[in-house]
Amino acid sequence: MRPEILRYAELLLEWNRTISLTGAQTLEQIEGLIADADALIAASWNGIATVIDIGSGGGLPAVPLAVTMPQVRFTLLEANARCGAPSGQTLAAPPDAIGLLLGSAGRSGCAVL
């Protein structure tokens, strides 16, 4: 696991103890969630420059993907500011590869397909 992803996993575990962002309670369980996110890397990303992760909460799958694919800009949309805090504070992804938007898809002017 890349050091940036490990830092993210540790931060997610720490926040998960007080906010319950995921059902994971151990680092190994969080690593399993990250491995699930890694399955999306196999998809074709040709021509995709921007992605919005709706209801991201803990930042899955966007944060691991942003670390792996810094050429794609990921925006995490979270209605609950408390749940979005760990994603916004993560040091895993390059600063210009990920952003946090607080609100709901309907109120943010996002088209939900």
Side-chain angles (χ1 to χ4, degrees):
M1 182 176 294
R2 292 171 64 154
E4 307 96 319
I5 299 291
L6 182 56
R7 276 194 311 252
Y8 163 69
E10 291 167 346
L11 178 66
L12 184 56
L13 181 61
E14 179 183 327
W15 276 84
N16 208 30
R17 289 184 182 122
T18 57
I19 300 178
S20 187
L21 297 166
T22 74
Q25 297 180 359
T26 67
L27 188 58
E28 291 76 23
Q29 290 172 329
I30 289 177
E31 288 171 348
L33 295 174
I34 291 169
D36 290 345
D38 285 346
L40 294 172
I41 294 171
S44 173
W45 290 89
N46 293 337
I48 297 174
T50 305
V51 174
I52 188 163
D53 182 356
I54 298 175
S56 186
L60 290 165
V63 172
L65 292 173
V67 170
T68 306
M69 300 181 297
Q71 74 280 8
V72 178
R73 166 90 173 150
F74 288 86
T75 298
L76 288 68
L77 178 63
E78 179 56 51
N80 186 334
R82 202 174 81 138
C83 291
S87 302
Q89 288 188 4
T90 186
L91 301 175
D96 57 346
I98 197 158
L100 178 62
L101 179 61
L102 298 176
S104 68
R107 292 188 196 142
S108 299
C110 300
V112 180
L113 304 176

